[in-house]
Each structure stands twice: as structure tokens, then as C-alpha cells.
Amino acid sequence: MTALTFTSKSNSVHNVDCRRLTPNNLANLTVAQIENLSLLNTKNSPKIADCFDVSGTDANHIIFKKTHHQLDYIGHKMTSGQITIEGDCGDFLGANMRGGTIICHGNANDRVGDQMRRGLILIAGDAGDYCGSRMIAGTIGIYGNIGSNIGFAMKRGTILLTKVPSLLATIQDCGTHTLPFLTLLFKSFSAFNTPFNALKNLRVQRYAGDLACNGNGEILICNINVSA
Amino acid sequence: MVAAASSPIKINHATTMIINSIKIDDTFAEAFNMRGTRVLITAQNLKWAYHAANAMTGFATSVIGCGVEAGIEHELSADETPDGRPGISVLMFAMGSKVLMQQLETRMGQCILTCPTAAAFAGIESDDQISLGKNLRYFGDGYQTSKLINGKRYWRIPVMDGEFLTEETTGMVRAIGGGNFLILATSQPAALHAAETAIEAMKQVPNVIMPFPGGVVRSGSKVGSKYPKMFASTNDAFCPTLKGLVSSELSDDIESVMEIVIDGLAFDDIATSMRVGIQAICDLGKASGVKRISAGNYGGKLGPHHFKLHEIMGSASS
């Protein structure tokens, strides 16, 4: 089976809400059925075929091609499977995510993993503001640059970075540590073709918060220039 | 302390099997159904993995007094463990799932959580999952965090040396305990040397442990006692100093008997282990001072698994 592929049509001038395009929503549907679905549950919603060329059969692995920063809510409330984004994407990537994996080979806009509860998001490029906001659990990795207000109102979960971001005052420095669980995490990353495969060093700078909401989340800064 | 083996032992003296001048009794070891689990313990180096594993498998020789029978199965190289550190595989057996769960949790808390740099992981797949670190997490007092990685949940508990990492659950499987054989020799040093030789060979067999000190037990027991409060007592038929007093199983030249008890995940694992151990003793030959190999049983009435020595040793006789 080939991955279910959504190739974005270049005529899009508005933001496209992709929240229905998840493995759990599209399981057992044919390409024709998917093309005929409305993007949103509204009367005047465009059909999926209006925005994407659809191909493939395996809804457990969804690929977005020819993507751009107007594709919002990719992976919203997804519970399982994998979504691969071959370029950039818009806001709310993996918002309310409940499980599964999202791999973004480009950049993501604001609110990555907003209210995310479980699962893994790996972004090879940059991410915008409020990454991991209101995050409940799960793991987000951002290899590139990060915007402001990362981990805002974060309760639990792990955000993995390679660069030190500008941090909220309510996210506290816990020092530099060697964390054994990173071996398992890095090993799990090896299943995906991302720059995260280069991470070997278990020694990280750990920040915890958001203390404004009694949060127990963590932001880990990996040193990509030092080998294990 | 008492061991699992017991009289009355049924020996058919009419059938003879002799391997390299050592007689194999026509009898069988009688074994019981148990519940078993495996835990992989890792640490910064093998030294500290052994500290953790030795503590966890300490005071775990017999279910009669310890609740569980536990032992080290084998060492693990760094590329065999989930976290890429050297480790030890530990097997643990109990008569029921409830006791096994209680003992595992207690030993995890007192022996693995406390041991510097140690981490614990599930070592066996099963639909029956029992708590490994699931309840230990509360030691973290709210600062514990979990990670779900590749479908498995792990707990990270902040401790004074950094973080204690443990998998949430491990598998529990049906297992067998009480496989055994007896080494009858002309002297105590001869019996012990033969037992040590057997244990070294049996350590190479996967899925089994020999839970007694050094893998060897000298105090085989029989069911019952002249004292009403004792439910087991010394196996007088195999005590060399009682040869003139009781209905002894020992000939005049036997001066010492030692027993090896084996717990395993499956019948074939125990049978293989017994064959390897007995063969190692037989390879020592007549000069070793070993005269006979026998086995402990309850007459076949209590344990459903019978390990017949002649069948196990097969065509190895001469």
C-alpha cells in the first residue's frame, strides 16, 4: 500500500484548515470518498478535491506535498499513524494531538502542539511563536530556530531544541544533565529521515515550567556540536 | 532453610544407566507450575548492574520462605539493552501472580530504585502485564514524568543521582519451578566441585535460573516432620550421617549429596539445563568422586511436570 498523499493545489489564496485529514478520520475511505469530503463541517466548505490532489491508499501514513504556510491544523486531534509534511506548514500543527507521529521537513508557523496530549512532532526547520502552548504531554522536537513564548502554559511534555530560545520568566533553568531516557528517545527518532538522527549526546540543558500554571513540562537544549 | 526437592523419591533400581562410570538413577524430578517474569537491569557499568541485580535476587532462594525464587539469567552487552548500557537479565518466579507482583514491586523499590545509575526494563513479552515502575513513580512526589516511546511507557523519577528510568510494566508468563537433580559423591569437596562444574555449564542455558546460593542447595527436604508445626524437614533418606538410622537411599561409599534446583520459562528449558548440568558432571568421570545422579520428587502426585533423568540424558549412556 502506498501512503495516502495530499498534493496541495497552487491556487490556494486562503488558509486551508486541514484538521479532517488525519489517519483516524480517513481510515477505510476510498480516494473518491476522500476527495468528496468537505474540509470543514460548514455549509459552504470547499471539498478536499478543491484544495488537494489525492492519491494512495494507506491512510495510516499521510503525506502532504507542495505544502505552504497556509495549511493550518495539520494533525489536529490525530490519535495514531504518521503524517509527513514535505515542506512548510501553517499554524496549529499537531494541536490537540492524541497520538501518532508528525514529521515536518520544512518550517511550521505558530502554536505547534497547542494542547497536545500524546504523540511526537519533529520539525526539521523552524517553528513560530507559542510552540507547545498549553501542552499537556507528548514530545516536540524543533531542529531550527524557534519563536517567542515557547512552552506558554505548558503543563507537561518535552520540547527538544538545538538552540537556546528566548524563554518566559516562568520557565526555570534546572541546569545541565545527562538524561538516560534520551537514548530511547533518540533511538525512536531513527525511524524517520530527519536531522534529529544526528543527536547522540545525552547531555542537555534542562528548563522546566510553565510555573505560572504549576507546570511540570520541560524544554531540553541538545548540543549538536558535541558527540556522545 | 528448605529446598524444593522432597522424598518419598521413587527410584527404579532395576533399570541402569551409566554415563562415564557415573550411575543415573531411573527416577524423575517433579516440578510445579509457577508464574515468571524477566527484568532487564542496566547501569553505568556492569559492576553497578550486578550490585542492583544481586540485591534484587537476594533472599530469593525458595518460595517456601522468600515468596519468590529469583536469579541472574545472564549478562547483557550494551547493544542488547534498551538504553545502550551494560546490563543483567533477571528471572523471577512465584507460585502465583499476586505474590509475583508484590515481590517484584518491593524488590524494584528497595533494590533497583536505590541503586546508583540503575534502570529497569521489561524483559519478556506477554499479554499479562505486571507493574514494574508503575507504582514506583509516586516516589517522585509529583515531579515524575512519563514518556511513551514506540508504544512503551517509561517513567522518569527524579532521584539524587539524576533520574531513575524504568519501564512501566513487564510481562508475566506461565513457568515451571522445581526441576532438580542430586549429586551423590564420595566426599563433600567432590560433591561441591561437581556441583560447581554443573552450574558453570548450566549458566549458559537461557530462560533458566538456579536460585540457591551459588546455584547449589545442600538441604533438600521432605514433606512433613515429627514436629507438628514444621511442614517440611530434612531429607533424611539422602543425609549421609543418617545411613544407619533411616531407610537411606545412600550406599556406604556416599558421603555427601548436593542438589541443583532449576526454575525455567518452559519444560524444554529446564530439561536442557538438567541435561547440560548432568553431562558436565559425567564428563568429570570416575575420578571426580561422583557416584550417582538422582532427583527429588513427591512420588509424582503433586507436581504435573516430571523430568525423567533417563529420558533427559537419552542416548548419552555408555
Side-chain angles (χ1 to χ4, degrees):
Chain A
M1 289 204 294
T2 54
L4 185 60
T5 303
F6 294 91
T7 306
S8 179
K9 292 183 175 175
S10 57
N11 59 357
S12 179
V13 292
H14 300 291
N15 282 22
V16 177
D17 191 323
C18 302
R19 73 179 68 203
R20 299 195 75 173
L21 310 184
T22 60
N24 37 305
N25 282 338
L26 303 179
N28 303 320
L29 296 181
T30 64
V31 168
Q33 287 171 319
I34 293 169
E35 285 177 332
N36 205 35
L37 281 176
S38 297
L39 266 176
L40 297 170
N41 283 325
T42 58
K43 190 175 178 183
N44 299 318
S45 168
K47 304 287 186 192
I48 288 174
D50 295 332
C51 302
F52 297 98
D53 291 323
V54 185
S55 63
T57 53
D58 182 11
N60 199 45
H61 184 193
I62 291 175
I63 297 175
F64 286 91
K65 291 185 173 178
K66 292 188 178 177
T67 59
H68 48 79
H69 67 276
Q70 288 175 300
L71 300 181
D72 296 337
Y73 286 101
I74 292 179
H76 179 260
K77 284 189 178 175
M78 75 180 278
T79 57
S80 61
Q82 182 181 334
I83 293 177
T84 303
I85 303 156
E86 294 198 342
D88 298 341
C89 63
D91 297 335
F92 290 97
L93 174 68
N96 290 85
M97 193 171 167
R98 296 291 192 267
T101 303
I102 296 176
I103 306 295
C104 175
H105 291 289
N107 305 314
N109 272 4
D110 300 342
R111 297 273 182 180
V112 170
D114 182 64
Q115 295 193 84
M116 174 183 185
R117 187 175 286 276
R118 276 184 293 278
L120 171 67
I121 301 173
L122 293 180
I123 299 170
D126 304 335
D129 299 338
Y130 288 94
C131 176
S133 58
R134 303 183 293 174
M135 189 174 176
I136 297 163
T139 303
I140 300 173
I142 295 139
Y143 206 81
N145 297 311
I146 188 86
S148 61
N149 295 316
I150 183 173
F152 173 80
M154 180 184 187
K155 293 183 176 65
R156 284 183 178 273
T158 303
I159 301 177
L160 214 57
L161 304 176
T162 59
K163 294 168 183 170
V164 182
S166 167
L167 289 168
L168 293 163
T170 49
I171 292 180
Q172 293 297 300
D173 186 354
C174 299
T176 305
H177 303 283
T178 303
L179 301 179
F181 91 98
L182 288 174
T183 310
L184 305 173
L185 197 64
F186 292 164
K187 211 184 274 187
S188 74
F189 291 170
S190 64
F192 314 107
N193 181 25
T194 70
F196 289 93
N197 289 352
L199 295 180
K200 304 288 181 209
N201 191 2
L202 307 184
R203 194 148 182 82
V204 293
Q205 183 78 21
R206 183 174 189 266
Y207 298 88
D210 182 349
L211 299 179
C213 61
N214 206 21
N216 203 16
E218 64 182 356
I219 297 171
L220 306 178
I221 315 295
C222 304
N223 191 340
I224 56 175
N225 299 318
V226 181
S227 64
Chain B
M1 200 59 238
V2 287
S6 230
S7 66
I9 292 172
K10 300 291 185 187
I11 299 173
N12 180 3
H13 291 286
T15 315
T16 303
M17 174 185 270
I18 296 172
I19 302 176
N20 206 15
S21 302
I22 295 173
K23 186 188 172 196
I24 312 296
D25 281 356
D26 187 12
T27 186
F28 60 92
E30 190 172 351
F32 301 87
N33 288 321
M34 298 185 94
R35 292 297 181 115
T37 189
R38 181 190 279 123
V39 180
L40 309 183
I41 299 165
T42 67
Q44 185 172 288
N45 53 43
L46 209 50
K47 172 185 168 184
W48 283 99
Y50 263 112
H51 281 316
N54 285 331
M56 193 181 197
T57 58
F59 187 58
T61 54
S62 168
V63 292
I64 295 172
C66 309
V68 288
E69 297 176 8
I72 290 171
E73 185 185 16
H74 53 72
E75 292 178 6
L76 298 163
S77 63
D79 55 4
E80 290 176 304
T81 61
D83 65 354
R85 302 190 299 172
I88 303 288
S89 171
V90 163
L91 287 171
M92 194 176 285
F93 300 88
M95 295 305 287
S97 55
K98 191 176 176 184
V99 181
L100 185 62
M101 285 188 271
Q102 285 171 344
Q103 287 284 336
L104 179 59
E105 204 165 296
T106 304
R107 287 163 189 267
M108 277 290 294
Q110 300 305 311
C111 309
I112 308 301
L113 171 66
T114 56
C115 181
T117 78
F121 303 95
I124 197 162
E125 296 289 336
S126 168
D127 290 338
D128 281 338
Q129 291 288 306
I130 57 175
S131 170
L132 191 61
K134 190 175 183 178
N135 297 322
L136 273 186
R137 71 179 192 260
Y138 296 113
F139 184 76
D141 199 24
Y143 296 104
Q144 71 274 18
T145 54
S146 79
K147 294 284 2 154
L148 193 62
I149 300 173
N150 285 339
K152 294 180 177 178
R153 185 168 295 285
Y154 301 87
W155 284 98
R156 300 162 53 199
I157 301 168
V159 285
M160 295 196 305
D161 82 338
E163 268 189 357
F164 170 51
L165 178 65
T166 175
E167 201 164 331
E168 181 169 79
T169 58
T170 185
M172 178 174 63
V173 295
R174 294 188 183 280
I176 299 172
N180 68 80
F181 61 89
L182 304 172
I183 304 158
L184 288 67
T186 53
S187 71
Q188 194 180 73
L192 188 61
H193 176 67
E196 287 175 340
T197 303
I199 288 295
E200 284 307 309
M202 295 165 78
K203 279 181 181 175
Q204 310 307 316
V205 179
N207 303 331
V208 297
I209 55 162
M210 287 65 73
F212 283 94
V216 188
V217 53
R218 65 156 175 193
S219 58
S221 62
K222 67 176 183 295
V223 175
S225 163
K226 68 181 283 188
Y227 304 107
K229 289 185 179 177
M230 295 285 288
F231 54 87
S233 60
T234 192
N235 191 2
D236 48 39
F238 281 86
C239 290
T241 58
L242 301 181
K243 271 188 284 195
L245 298 176
V246 298
S247 176
S248 181
E249 281 291 342
L250 308 181
S251 54
D252 289 345
D253 53 350
I254 303 300
E255 202 175 295
S256 184
V257 179
M258 294 192 189
E259 180 179 359
I260 293 176
V261 176
I262 308 117
D263 298 332
L265 296 179
F267 185 94
D268 288 346
D269 297 326
I270 294 176
T272 301
S273 172
M274 288 175 66
R275 177 164 53 248
V276 166
I278 293 169
Q279 188 60 53
I281 292 171
C282 292
D283 288 345
L284 295 173
K286 190 177 182 181
S288 67
V290 177
K291 292 289 184 181
R292 278 168 59 199
I293 300 293
S294 192
N297 61 57
Y298 299 85
K301 294 174 182 172
L302 296 179
H305 307 288
H306 298 168
F307 295 92
K308 296 175 182 173
L309 296 187
H310 282 195
E311 285 184 11
I312 284 174
M313 296 314 294
S315 59
S317 59
S318 59

